[in-house]
Amino acid sequence: MTNLELARRFYEIASLLEVRGESVFRIRAYQRAAQTLEALGEDVAAVAARGGLRRLPGVGRDLAARIEEYLATGRLAQLETLRAGLPATFLGLLEIRGLGPRTARALWEQLGIDSVEALEEACRSGRILGVAGIREKSRTNIVQAIERWRAGQARTPLARALAVARHLVETLRARGDVDRIEIAGSLRRMRETVKDVDLLVTSRAPARVLETFVTLPSVAAVTARGPTRVSVRHQAGLAVDLRVVEPEAFGAALQYFTGSREHNVRTREIASRRGRRLSEYGVFDERTGQRVAGLTEEDVYAAIGLPWIPPELRENQGEIEAAREGALPSLVTVEDLRGDLHAHTDWSDGRLTLERMVAAAEARGYEYVIVSDHSASLAIAHGLDVERLRAQAREIRALQARTRIRILAGTECDILEDGRLDFPDEVLAGLDVVLAAVHSRFKQSRADMTARIVRALANPWVNVLVHPTGRRLGTREPYDVDLEAVLAAAREHGKAVEINGSPERLDLADVHARRAAALGVPVAISSDTHALAEFEHVALGVAVARRAWLTPAHVLNTRPLDGLRAWSRPAGRAATG
Ligand code: DGT
Ligand code: CA
């Protein structure tokens, strides 16, 4: 059990480093190493004995030394230093959404708040006001966050929940005892936020699987426990449900627990009209009581006369009718994308150099990638003025000479307050693709904001309106805008809109992207990458696109380079060669 004890301690070190405001890289390093240890099939002492620690994913020289220290002494000096002076209940505060680690620490230091209960009391009495910049509004937010936390109702953004779920799946697989394991619920449907993670497993040793699960270091507390099911609170601050089901009923259970409820109501009705009963245990003949399907989801749908329906569509938003008519869409996949149309470099607020950014896009197998750094009015992001944009264009040309992938010169150009663009037309004309975005004055009236964006879309050189509503999941509401008018303008002027795959944006949302596609407005699915790992964010954008019923034909960046360029710079409007 050394692996788990060590993992638990590494998770704790990560949290404590967070509280101390340490660098995210150090924090992540401990989290990654903890995850590796949690999922490790072999005893870490045995790995150390054969000199294999450094080959474990996420374990470098420093962490290998920490592991050696623990194996030799049973202690971690660093953890003891970090813990000094902090009560054991303190880390529970980090589960309250919206209360950052720094604020938590300030509350401890200045008010001695060391638990959720103490925090609640300080909110009620008003003692909290004025500490760490907390005013009335943040007090209200904290009180609401505590209520949601108590009720287990705080919704978690998709990306965070996916990371937790995938890690748990990997861990349980690696630890043996499970035969099949799948993510179900809203997370399998890829909703933008989820209430909890639902996991389904089959196993010949159900009791052992449940026991393994509840003793995982990343599991913070067990909230309910039965013979085939447990509910826990994960240390990442969300609930996880694990159910063990019969292998013969796995498909039926997966169908049932994937939902949505509304979709299930419809499938049950369809079953019953066919003289069959559909439940989490299978499809049964109503006369004989015999089970006619249950092993796989395909069998279950087939037994009620339907083709298998992709989970992302199961919201009772027309998928049942489409399935009946054989008209389900062939949804877009990550593999359909030929390039990324939104990427930053260290010329503005990205972390990669131009060369490394392009190399990373090439390594993903893309045909093209855009360079879309910010424009000058976004000073906070070190936006480019005309001169630096020209200098960047020269670098792009030089780099292109020794690069296979096509580098498109672009910009993420600010839409100014009145709808003008931050670069003059003749500059925009010299670029291959122009993205336009609102980054300021979010509080404009609905009429002003709508007019502002519509005007920008009328600019002949603008191609894609990116993150069209400006929302940030859980932290910033979309700005007030008449999206229908915006989409109509995009259609009129032949412009595209973006699904931004950045985990905190997912903008457009699924319903809006579906509307755009219905109007015939092309949709770009982009990563908005600012770092190497963030190219992966297109996968989240694709998830939103699939929930929006998009096929490859709806998506701008499934087009080959020629098609894309013919669209962005049609003949007669050609700019550079
Ligand atoms: P959420 O709120 O993000 O967790 O959304 P879901 O869809 O994951 O909801 P959840 O976790 O309460 O339940 C998972 C699935 O199980 C749900 O989509 C459908 C199924 N389910 C659970 N309870 C019921 C129920 O009372 N009736 C029906 N028809 N289905 C249910
Ligand atoms: Ca759920």
Side-chain angles (χ1 to χ4, degrees), residues 169 172 178-185 188 197-203 209 228 241-245 249-258 280 297:
V169 165
L172 289 171
V178 306
D179 296 322
R180 298 193 61 183
I181 175 160
E182 293 285 348
I183 298 169
R188 184 162 179 247
V197 172
D198 302 286
L199 297 176
L200 289 186
V201 308
T202 64
S203 169
V209 172
T228 59
D241 262 21
L242 178 81
R243 285 189 176 78
V244 185
V245 303
F250 188 73
L254 186 57
Q255 197 280 331
Y256 180 87
F257 288 110
T258 295
E280 61 193 280
E297 269 195 336

PDB file of all heavy atoms in Angstrom, residues 169 172 178-185 188 197-203 209 228 241-245 249-258 280 297:
ATOM      1  N   VAL A 169     -10.672   5.911 -14.267  1.00  0.00           N
ATOM      2  CA  VAL A 169     -10.838   4.752 -15.152  1.00  0.00           C
ATOM      3  C   VAL A 169      -9.495   4.043 -15.321  1.00  0.00           C
ATOM      4  O   VAL A 169      -9.384   2.826 -15.171  1.00  0.00           O
ATOM      5  CB  VAL A 169     -11.403   5.188 -16.526  1.00  0.00           C
ATOM      6  CG1 VAL A 169     -11.248   4.081 -17.563  1.00  0.00           C
ATOM      7  CG2 VAL A 169     -12.866   5.597 -16.386  1.00  0.00           C
ATOM      8  N   LEU A 172      -8.439   2.317 -11.967  1.00  0.00           N
ATOM      9  CA  LEU A 172      -9.163   1.094 -11.634  1.00  0.00           C
ATOM     10  C   LEU A 172      -8.796  -0.031 -12.596  1.00  0.00           C
ATOM     11  O   LEU A 172      -8.686  -1.186 -12.203  1.00  0.00           O
ATOM     12  CB  LEU A 172     -10.674   1.346 -11.634  1.00  0.00           C
ATOM     13  CG  LEU A 172     -11.144   2.209 -10.449  1.00  0.00           C
ATOM     14  CD1 LEU A 172     -12.599   2.623 -10.613  1.00  0.00           C
ATOM     15  CD2 LEU A 172     -10.947   1.458  -9.126  1.00  0.00           C
ATOM     16  N   VAL A 178     -11.403  -5.019 -12.404  1.00  0.00           N
ATOM     17  CA  VAL A 178     -12.540  -4.618 -13.239  1.00  0.00           C
ATOM     18  C   VAL A 178     -12.387  -5.241 -14.620  1.00  0.00           C
ATOM     19  O   VAL A 178     -11.296  -5.362 -15.147  1.00  0.00           O
ATOM     20  CB  VAL A 178     -12.690  -3.078 -13.387  1.00  0.00           C
ATOM     21  CG1 VAL A 178     -12.755  -2.402 -12.043  1.00  0.00           C
ATOM     22  CG2 VAL A 178     -11.594  -2.499 -14.249  1.00  0.00           C
ATOM     23  N   ASP A 179     -13.521  -5.681 -15.170  1.00  0.00           N
ATOM     24  CA  ASP A 179     -13.495  -6.209 -16.530  1.00  0.00           C
ATOM     25  C   ASP A 179     -13.806  -5.091 -17.513  1.00  0.00           C
ATOM     26  O   ASP A 179     -13.004  -4.754 -18.351  1.00  0.00           O
ATOM     27  CB  ASP A 179     -14.490  -7.364 -16.672  1.00  0.00           C
ATOM     28  CG  ASP A 179     -14.081  -8.525 -15.773  1.00  0.00           C
ATOM     29  OD1 ASP A 179     -12.864  -8.764 -15.654  1.00  0.00           O
ATOM     30  OD2 ASP A 179     -14.955  -9.163 -15.168  1.00  0.00           O
ATOM     31  N   ARG A 180     -14.996  -4.533 -17.380  1.00  0.00           N
ATOM     32  CA  ARG A 180     -15.333  -3.384 -18.227  1.00  0.00           C
ATOM     33  C   ARG A 180     -15.513  -2.174 -17.328  1.00  0.00           C
ATOM     34  O   ARG A 180     -15.972  -2.294 -16.200  1.00  0.00           O
ATOM     35  CB  ARG A 180     -16.621  -3.638 -18.995  1.00  0.00           C
ATOM     36  CG  ARG A 180     -16.531  -4.818 -19.952  1.00  0.00           C
ATOM     37  CD  ARG A 180     -17.710  -4.814 -20.904  1.00  0.00           C
ATOM     38  NE  ARG A 180     -17.726  -3.586 -21.707  1.00  0.00           N
ATOM     39  CZ  ARG A 180     -18.678  -3.291 -22.578  1.00  0.00           C
ATOM     40  NH1 ARG A 180     -19.709  -4.106 -22.740  1.00  0.00           N
ATOM     41  NH2 ARG A 180     -18.633  -2.182 -23.284  1.00  0.00           N
ATOM     42  N   ILE A 181     -15.172  -1.022 -17.834  1.00  0.00           N
ATOM     43  CA  ILE A 181     -15.426   0.209 -17.089  1.00  0.00           C
ATOM     44  C   ILE A 181     -15.694   1.328 -18.084  1.00  0.00           C
ATOM     45  O   ILE A 181     -14.980   1.471 -19.075  1.00  0.00           O
ATOM     46  CB  ILE A 181     -14.263   0.570 -16.128  1.00  0.00           C
ATOM     47  CG1 ILE A 181     -14.518   1.928 -15.456  1.00  0.00           C
ATOM     48  CG2 ILE A 181     -12.922   0.587 -16.837  1.00  0.00           C
ATOM     49  CD1 ILE A 181     -13.715   2.151 -14.188  1.00  0.00           C
ATOM     50  N   GLU A 182     -16.778   2.065 -17.861  1.00  0.00           N
ATOM     51  CA  GLU A 182     -17.130   3.158 -18.768  1.00  0.00           C
ATOM     52  C   GLU A 182     -17.615   4.359 -17.964  1.00  0.00           C
ATOM     53  O   GLU A 182     -18.198   4.219 -16.888  1.00  0.00           O
ATOM     54  CB  GLU A 182     -18.269   2.755 -19.710  1.00  0.00           C
ATOM     55  CG  GLU A 182     -17.938   1.676 -20.720  1.00  0.00           C
ATOM     56  CD  GLU A 182     -17.078   2.143 -21.898  1.00  0.00           C
ATOM     57  OE1 GLU A 182     -16.907   3.375 -22.067  1.00  0.00           O
ATOM     58  OE2 GLU A 182     -16.580   1.272 -22.623  1.00  0.00           O
ATOM     59  N   ILE A 183     -17.386   5.526 -18.542  1.00  0.00           N
ATOM     60  CA  ILE A 183     -17.970   6.759 -18.010  1.00  0.00           C
ATOM     61  C   ILE A 183     -19.401   6.847 -18.539  1.00  0.00           C
ATOM     62  O   ILE A 183     -19.634   6.589 -19.720  1.00  0.00           O
ATOM     63  CB  ILE A 183     -17.167   7.975 -18.513  1.00  0.00           C
ATOM     64  CG1 ILE A 183     -15.721   7.909 -18.004  1.00  0.00           C
ATOM     65  CG2 ILE A 183     -17.843   9.282 -18.100  1.00  0.00           C
ATOM     66  CD1 ILE A 183     -14.787   8.916 -18.649  1.00  0.00           C
ATOM     67  N   ALA A 184     -20.361   7.177 -17.678  1.00  0.00           N
ATOM     68  CA  ALA A 184     -21.753   7.344 -18.106  1.00  0.00           C
ATOM     69  C   ALA A 184     -22.207   8.772 -17.781  1.00  0.00           C
ATOM     70  O   ALA A 184     -21.380   9.669 -17.608  1.00  0.00           O
ATOM     71  CB  ALA A 184     -22.639   6.291 -17.435  1.00  0.00           C
ATOM     72  N   GLY A 185     -23.529   8.968 -17.716  1.00  0.00           N
ATOM     73  CA  GLY A 185     -24.084  10.255 -17.283  1.00  0.00           C
ATOM     74  C   GLY A 185     -23.800  11.415 -18.229  1.00  0.00           C
ATOM     75  O   GLY A 185     -23.397  11.237 -19.383  1.00  0.00           O
ATOM     76  N   ARG A 188     -20.532  11.515 -20.188  1.00  0.00           N
ATOM     77  CA  ARG A 188     -20.434  10.774 -21.461  1.00  0.00           C
ATOM     78  C   ARG A 188     -21.146  11.546 -22.575  1.00  0.00           C
ATOM     79  O   ARG A 188     -20.747  11.481 -23.728  1.00  0.00           O
ATOM     80  CB  ARG A 188     -21.055   9.381 -21.302  1.00  0.00           C
ATOM     81  CG  ARG A 188     -20.893   8.523 -22.547  1.00  0.00           C
ATOM     82  CD  ARG A 188     -21.103   7.050 -22.238  1.00  0.00           C
ATOM     83  NE  ARG A 188     -20.975   6.228 -23.413  1.00  0.00           N
ATOM     84  CZ  ARG A 188     -21.973   5.538 -23.976  1.00  0.00           C
ATOM     85  NH1 ARG A 188     -23.186   5.542 -23.410  1.00  0.00           N
ATOM     86  NH2 ARG A 188     -21.769   4.825 -25.042  1.00  0.00           N
ATOM     87  N   VAL A 197     -19.594  12.644 -11.609  1.00  0.00           N
ATOM     88  CA  VAL A 197     -19.045  11.654 -12.538  1.00  0.00           C
ATOM     89  C   VAL A 197     -19.744  10.330 -12.255  1.00  0.00           C
ATOM     90  O   VAL A 197     -19.803   9.893 -11.104  1.00  0.00           O
ATOM     91  CB  VAL A 197     -17.521  11.489 -12.321  1.00  0.00           C
ATOM     92  CG1 VAL A 197     -16.978  10.335 -13.144  1.00  0.00           C
ATOM     93  CG2 VAL A 197     -16.793  12.787 -12.645  1.00  0.00           C
ATOM     94  N   ASP A 198     -20.316   9.702 -13.280  1.00  0.00           N
ATOM     95  CA  ASP A 198     -20.962   8.398 -13.120  1.00  0.00           C
ATOM     96  C   ASP A 198     -20.091   7.343 -13.789  1.00  0.00           C
ATOM     97  O   ASP A 198     -19.817   7.441 -14.981  1.00  0.00           O
ATOM     98  CB  ASP A 198     -22.342   8.406 -13.786  1.00  0.00           C
ATOM     99  CG  ASP A 198     -23.259   9.487 -13.213  1.00  0.00           C
ATOM    100  OD1 ASP A 198     -23.737   9.295 -12.087  1.00  0.00           O
ATOM    101  OD2 ASP A 198     -23.478  10.520 -13.888  1.00  0.00           O
ATOM    102  N   LEU A 199     -19.659   6.353 -13.005  1.00  0.00           N
ATOM    103  CA  LEU A 199     -18.836   5.283 -13.569  1.00  0.00           C
ATOM    104  C   LEU A 199     -19.570   3.950 -13.436  1.00  0.00           C
ATOM    105  O   LEU A 199     -20.195   3.677 -12.403  1.00  0.00           O
ATOM    106  CB  LEU A 199     -17.500   5.180 -12.828  1.00  0.00           C
ATOM    107  CG  LEU A 199     -16.567   6.389 -12.907  1.00  0.00           C
ATOM    108  CD1 LEU A 199     -15.327   6.163 -12.038  1.00  0.00           C
ATOM    109  CD2 LEU A 199     -16.152   6.654 -14.356  1.00  0.00           C
ATOM    110  N   LEU A 200     -19.475   3.125 -14.478  1.00  0.00           N
ATOM    111  CA  LEU A 200     -20.083   1.792 -14.458  1.00  0.00           C
ATOM    112  C   LEU A 200     -18.988   0.764 -14.666  1.00  0.00           C
ATOM    113  O   LEU A 200     -18.157   0.924 -15.553  1.00  0.00           O
ATOM    114  CB  LEU A 200     -21.074   1.641 -15.614  1.00  0.00           C
ATOM    115  CG  LEU A 200     -22.376   2.406 -15.563  1.00  0.00           C
ATOM    116  CD1 LEU A 200     -23.236   1.985 -16.742  1.00  0.00           C
ATOM    117  CD2 LEU A 200     -23.099   2.132 -14.248  1.00  0.00           C
ATOM    118  N   VAL A 201     -19.025  -0.306 -13.863  1.00  0.00           N
ATOM    119  CA  VAL A 201     -18.042  -1.366 -14.079  1.00  0.00           C
ATOM    120  C   VAL A 201     -18.710  -2.734 -14.016  1.00  0.00           C
ATOM    121  O   VAL A 201     -19.781  -2.895 -13.436  1.00  0.00           O
ATOM    122  CB  VAL A 201     -16.888  -1.342 -13.039  1.00  0.00           C
ATOM    123  CG1 VAL A 201     -16.263   0.030 -12.953  1.00  0.00           C
ATOM    124  CG2 VAL A 201     -17.360  -1.793 -11.676  1.00  0.00           C
ATOM    125  N   THR A 202     -18.064  -3.706 -14.645  1.00  0.00           N
ATOM    126  CA  THR A 202     -18.404  -5.108 -14.386  1.00  0.00           C
ATOM    127  C   THR A 202     -17.167  -5.733 -13.768  1.00  0.00           C
ATOM    128  O   THR A 202     -16.034  -5.323 -14.055  1.00  0.00           O
ATOM    129  CB  THR A 202     -18.751  -5.888 -15.660  1.00  0.00           C
ATOM    130  OG1 THR A 202     -17.599  -5.938 -16.506  1.00  0.00           O
ATOM    131  CG2 THR A 202     -19.905  -5.237 -16.401  1.00  0.00           C
ATOM    132  N   SER A 203     -17.413  -6.732 -12.906  1.00  0.00           N
ATOM    133  CA  SER A 203     -16.290  -7.344 -12.212  1.00  0.00           C
ATOM    134  C   SER A 203     -16.691  -8.681 -11.632  1.00  0.00           C
ATOM    135  O   SER A 203     -17.845  -8.872 -11.243  1.00  0.00           O
ATOM    136  CB  SER A 203     -15.839  -6.422 -11.076  1.00  0.00           C
ATOM    137  OG  SER A 203     -14.934  -7.108 -10.243  1.00  0.00           O
ATOM    138  N   VAL A 209     -13.614  -4.309  -5.867  1.00  0.00           N
ATOM    139  CA  VAL A 209     -13.554  -3.080  -6.668  1.00  0.00           C
ATOM    140  C   VAL A 209     -14.012  -1.884  -5.835  1.00  0.00           C
ATOM    141  O   VAL A 209     -13.365  -0.833  -5.817  1.00  0.00           O
ATOM    142  CB  VAL A 209     -14.441  -3.192  -7.927  1.00  0.00           C
ATOM    143  CG1 VAL A 209     -14.529  -1.847  -8.635  1.00  0.00           C
ATOM    144  CG2 VAL A 209     -13.901  -4.252  -8.861  1.00  0.00           C
ATOM    145  N   THR A 228     -23.511  -2.705  -4.228  1.00  0.00           N
ATOM    146  CA  THR A 228     -23.017  -2.612  -5.606  1.00  0.00           C
ATOM    147  C   THR A 228     -22.743  -1.170  -6.015  1.00  0.00           C
ATOM    148  O   THR A 228     -22.520  -0.877  -7.176  1.00  0.00           O
ATOM    149  CB  THR A 228     -24.041  -3.185  -6.614  1.00  0.00           C
ATOM    150  OG1 THR A 228     -25.259  -2.436  -6.483  1.00  0.00           O
ATOM    151  CG2 THR A 228     -24.297  -4.656  -6.359  1.00  0.00           C
ATOM    152  N   ASP A 241     -19.833   8.681  -8.573  1.00  0.00           N
ATOM    153  CA  ASP A 241     -20.651   7.498  -8.306  1.00  0.00           C
ATOM    154  C   ASP A 241     -20.056   6.315  -9.033  1.00  0.00           C
ATOM    155  O   ASP A 241     -19.794   6.418 -10.231  1.00  0.00           O
ATOM    156  CB  ASP A 241     -22.056   7.712  -8.900  1.00  0.00           C
ATOM    157  CG  ASP A 241     -23.038   8.179  -7.862  1.00  0.00           C
ATOM    158  OD1 ASP A 241     -22.587   8.707  -6.829  1.00  0.00           O
ATOM    159  OD2 ASP A 241     -24.244   8.003  -8.103  1.00  0.00           O
ATOM    160  N   LEU A 242     -19.877   5.224  -8.342  1.00  0.00           N
ATOM    161  CA  LEU A 242     -19.391   4.016  -9.011  1.00  0.00           C
ATOM    162  C   LEU A 242     -20.404   2.906  -8.798  1.00  0.00           C
ATOM    163  O   LEU A 242     -20.818   2.631  -7.668  1.00  0.00           O
ATOM    164  CB  LEU A 242     -18.044   3.598  -8.427  1.00  0.00           C
ATOM    165  CG  LEU A 242     -17.448   2.318  -9.025  1.00  0.00           C
ATOM    166  CD1 LEU A 242     -16.764   2.606 -10.348  1.00  0.00           C
ATOM    167  CD2 LEU A 242     -16.446   1.688  -8.065  1.00  0.00           C
ATOM    168  N   ARG A 243     -20.835   2.283  -9.886  1.00  0.00           N
ATOM    169  CA  ARG A 243     -21.795   1.169  -9.800  1.00  0.00           C
ATOM    170  C   ARG A 243     -21.210  -0.066 -10.442  1.00  0.00           C
ATOM    171  O   ARG A 243     -20.644   0.017 -11.540  1.00  0.00           O
ATOM    172  CB  ARG A 243     -23.063   1.492 -10.582  1.00  0.00           C
ATOM    173  CG  ARG A 243     -23.979   2.460  -9.930  1.00  0.00           C
ATOM    174  CD  ARG A 243     -25.275   2.504 -10.729  1.00  0.00           C
ATOM    175  NE  ARG A 243     -26.223   3.365 -10.057  1.00  0.00           N
ATOM    176  CZ  ARG A 243     -26.173   4.683 -10.106  1.00  0.00           C
ATOM    177  NH1 ARG A 243     -25.227   5.283 -10.797  1.00  0.00           N
ATOM    178  NH2 ARG A 243     -27.058   5.409  -9.453  1.00  0.00           N
ATOM    179  N   VAL A 244     -21.375  -1.207  -9.778  1.00  0.00           N
ATOM    180  CA  VAL A 244     -20.995  -2.470 -10.391  1.00  0.00           C
ATOM    181  C   VAL A 244     -22.267  -3.114 -10.922  1.00  0.00           C
ATOM    182  O   VAL A 244     -23.268  -3.213 -10.203  1.00  0.00           O
ATOM    183  CB  VAL A 244     -20.328  -3.420  -9.371  1.00  0.00           C
ATOM    184  CG1 VAL A 244     -19.835  -4.676 -10.069  1.00  0.00           C
ATOM    185  CG2 VAL A 244     -19.178  -2.702  -8.681  1.00  0.00           C
ATOM    186  N   VAL A 245     -22.258  -3.507 -12.194  1.00  0.00           N
ATOM    187  CA  VAL A 245     -23.455  -4.110 -12.782  1.00  0.00           C
ATOM    188  C   VAL A 245     -23.123  -5.483 -13.361  1.00  0.00           C
ATOM    189  O   VAL A 245     -21.955  -5.832 -13.544  1.00  0.00           O
ATOM    190  CB  VAL A 245     -24.066  -3.196 -13.881  1.00  0.00           C
ATOM    191  CG1 VAL A 245     -24.394  -1.817 -13.309  1.00  0.00           C
ATOM    192  CG2 VAL A 245     -23.135  -3.060 -15.081  1.00  0.00           C
ATOM    193  N   ALA A 249     -25.951  -7.279 -18.416  1.00  0.00           N
ATOM    194  CA  ALA A 249     -26.788  -6.077 -18.470  1.00  0.00           C
ATOM    195  C   ALA A 249     -25.955  -4.813 -18.673  1.00  0.00           C
ATOM    196  O   ALA A 249     -26.465  -3.710 -18.569  1.00  0.00           O
ATOM    197  CB  ALA A 249     -27.603  -5.956 -17.185  1.00  0.00           C
ATOM    198  N   PHE A 250     -24.668  -4.981 -18.993  1.00  0.00           N
ATOM    199  CA  PHE A 250     -23.801  -3.805 -19.040  1.00  0.00           C
ATOM    200  C   PHE A 250     -24.283  -2.759 -20.056  1.00  0.00           C
ATOM    201  O   PHE A 250     -24.338  -1.561 -19.762  1.00  0.00           O
ATOM    202  CB  PHE A 250     -22.353  -4.197 -19.357  1.00  0.00           C
ATOM    203  CG  PHE A 250     -21.391  -3.055 -19.220  1.00  0.00           C
ATOM    204  CD1 PHE A 250     -21.039  -2.571 -17.970  1.00  0.00           C
ATOM    205  CD2 PHE A 250     -20.845  -2.428 -20.344  1.00  0.00           C
ATOM    206  CE1 PHE A 250     -20.168  -1.509 -17.826  1.00  0.00           C
ATOM    207  CE2 PHE A 250     -19.973  -1.358 -20.212  1.00  0.00           C
ATOM    208  CZ  PHE A 250     -19.626  -0.903 -18.950  1.00  0.00           C
ATOM    209  N   GLY A 251     -24.666  -3.240 -21.237  1.00  0.00           N
ATOM    210  CA  GLY A 251     -25.141  -2.306 -22.276  1.00  0.00           C
ATOM    211  C   GLY A 251     -26.400  -1.577 -21.841  1.00  0.00           C
ATOM    212  O   GLY A 251     -26.560  -0.380 -22.076  1.00  0.00           O
ATOM    213  N   ALA A 252     -27.302  -2.302 -21.197  1.00  0.00           N
ATOM    214  CA  ALA A 252     -28.565  -1.698 -20.747  1.00  0.00           C
ATOM    215  C   ALA A 252     -28.295  -0.674 -19.651  1.00  0.00           C
ATOM    216  O   ALA A 252     -28.871   0.414 -19.628  1.00  0.00           O
ATOM    217  CB  ALA A 252     -29.517  -2.776 -20.257  1.00  0.00           C
ATOM    218  N   ALA A 253     -27.386  -1.028 -18.741  1.00  0.00           N
ATOM    219  CA  ALA A 253     -27.051  -0.097 -17.657  1.00  0.00           C
ATOM    220  C   ALA A 253     -26.381   1.145 -18.227  1.00  0.00           C
ATOM    221  O   ALA A 253     -26.673   2.274 -17.822  1.00  0.00           O
ATOM    222  CB  ALA A 253     -26.143  -0.787 -16.642  1.00  0.00           C
ATOM    223  N   LEU A 254     -25.498   0.920 -19.182  1.00  0.00           N
ATOM    224  CA  LEU A 254     -24.795   2.051 -19.790  1.00  0.00           C
ATOM    225  C   LEU A 254     -25.798   2.970 -20.489  1.00  0.00           C
ATOM    226  O   LEU A 254     -25.730   4.197 -20.361  1.00  0.00           O
ATOM    227  CB  LEU A 254     -23.755   1.536 -20.782  1.00  0.00           C
ATOM    228  CG  LEU A 254     -22.818   2.579 -21.403  1.00  0.00           C
ATOM    229  CD1 LEU A 254     -22.067   3.357 -20.328  1.00  0.00           C
ATOM    230  CD2 LEU A 254     -21.828   1.913 -22.358  1.00  0.00           C
ATOM    231  N   GLN A 255     -26.749   2.366 -21.189  1.00  0.00           N
ATOM    232  CA  GLN A 255     -27.781   3.173 -21.863  1.00  0.00           C
ATOM    233  C   GLN A 255     -28.571   3.958 -20.817  1.00  0.00           C
ATOM    234  O   GLN A 255     -28.778   5.159 -20.955  1.00  0.00           O
ATOM    235  CB  GLN A 255     -28.691   2.249 -22.677  1.00  0.00           C
ATOM    236  CG  GLN A 255     -29.534   2.949 -23.742  1.00  0.00           C
ATOM    237  CD  GLN A 255     -30.776   3.622 -23.197  1.00  0.00           C
ATOM    238  OE1 GLN A 255     -31.328   3.188 -22.192  1.00  0.00           O
ATOM    239  NE2 GLN A 255     -31.198   4.692 -23.845  1.00  0.00           N
ATOM    240  N   TYR A 256     -28.993   3.270 -19.763  1.00  0.00           N
ATOM    241  CA  TYR A 256     -29.828   3.912 -18.741  1.00  0.00           C
ATOM    242  C   TYR A 256     -29.072   5.051 -18.042  1.00  0.00           C
ATOM    243  O   TYR A 256     -29.569   6.169 -17.907  1.00  0.00           O
ATOM    244  CB  TYR A 256     -30.288   2.875 -17.720  1.00  0.00           C
ATOM    245  CG  TYR A 256     -31.146   3.449 -16.621  1.00  0.00           C
ATOM    246  CD1 TYR A 256     -32.526   3.562 -16.772  1.00  0.00           C
ATOM    247  CD2 TYR A 256     -30.582   3.906 -15.430  1.00  0.00           C
ATOM    248  CE1 TYR A 256     -33.324   4.101 -15.773  1.00  0.00           C
ATOM    249  CE2 TYR A 256     -31.364   4.455 -14.420  1.00  0.00           C
ATOM    250  CZ  TYR A 256     -32.724   4.550 -14.601  1.00  0.00           C
ATOM    251  OH  TYR A 256     -33.505   5.094 -13.616  1.00  0.00           O
ATOM    252  N   PHE A 257     -27.861   4.755 -17.585  1.00  0.00           N
ATOM    253  CA  PHE A 257     -27.141   5.751 -16.773  1.00  0.00           C
ATOM    254  C   PHE A 257     -26.442   6.825 -17.616  1.00  0.00           C
ATOM    255  O   PHE A 257     -25.912   7.786 -17.073  1.00  0.00           O
ATOM    256  CB  PHE A 257     -26.163   5.064 -15.827  1.00  0.00           C
ATOM    257  CG  PHE A 257     -26.862   4.346 -14.712  1.00  0.00           C
ATOM    258  CD1 PHE A 257     -26.882   2.959 -14.661  1.00  0.00           C
ATOM    259  CD2 PHE A 257     -27.560   5.061 -13.735  1.00  0.00           C
ATOM    260  CE1 PHE A 257     -27.558   2.295 -13.648  1.00  0.00           C
ATOM    261  CE2 PHE A 257     -28.242   4.405 -12.725  1.00  0.00           C
ATOM    262  CZ  PHE A 257     -28.245   3.015 -12.679  1.00  0.00           C
ATOM    263  N   THR A 258     -26.442   6.644 -18.925  1.00  0.00           N
ATOM    264  CA  THR A 258     -25.946   7.737 -19.766  1.00  0.00           C
ATOM    265  C   THR A 258     -27.011   8.822 -19.896  1.00  0.00           C
ATOM    266  O   THR A 258     -26.706  10.009 -19.988  1.00  0.00           O
ATOM    267  CB  THR A 258     -25.530   7.213 -21.154  1.00  0.00           C
ATOM    268  OG1 THR A 258     -24.425   6.327 -20.978  1.00  0.00           O
ATOM    269  CG2 THR A 258     -25.101   8.351 -22.074  1.00  0.00           C
ATOM    270  N   GLU A 280     -32.695  -0.553 -16.698  1.00  0.00           N
ATOM    271  CA  GLU A 280     -31.240  -0.632 -16.563  1.00  0.00           C
ATOM    272  C   GLU A 280     -30.744  -2.079 -16.584  1.00  0.00           C
ATOM    273  O   GLU A 280     -29.542  -2.315 -16.670  1.00  0.00           O
ATOM    274  CB  GLU A 280     -30.811   0.069 -15.269  1.00  0.00           C
ATOM    275  CG  GLU A 280     -31.400  -0.565 -14.030  1.00  0.00           C
ATOM    276  CD  GLU A 280     -31.244   0.304 -12.788  1.00  0.00           C
ATOM    277  OE1 GLU A 280     -30.149   0.310 -12.200  1.00  0.00           O
ATOM    278  OE2 GLU A 280     -32.228   0.974 -12.436  1.00  0.00           O
ATOM    279  N   GLU A 297     -24.875  -1.723 -25.834  1.00  0.00           N
ATOM    280  CA  GLU A 297     -25.834  -0.666 -26.155  1.00  0.00           C
ATOM    281  C   GLU A 297     -26.431  -0.862 -27.546  1.00  0.00           C
ATOM    282  O   GLU A 297     -27.610  -0.603 -27.761  1.00  0.00           O
ATOM    283  CB  GLU A 297     -25.132   0.699 -26.127  1.00  0.00           C
ATOM    284  CG  GLU A 297     -25.187   1.376 -24.810  1.00  0.00           C
ATOM    285  CD  GLU A 297     -24.821   2.851 -24.915  1.00  0.00           C
ATOM    286  OE1 GLU A 297     -24.109   3.249 -25.872  1.00  0.00           O
ATOM    287  OE2 GLU A 297     -25.241   3.614 -24.035  1.00  0.00           O
TER     288      GLU A 297
END
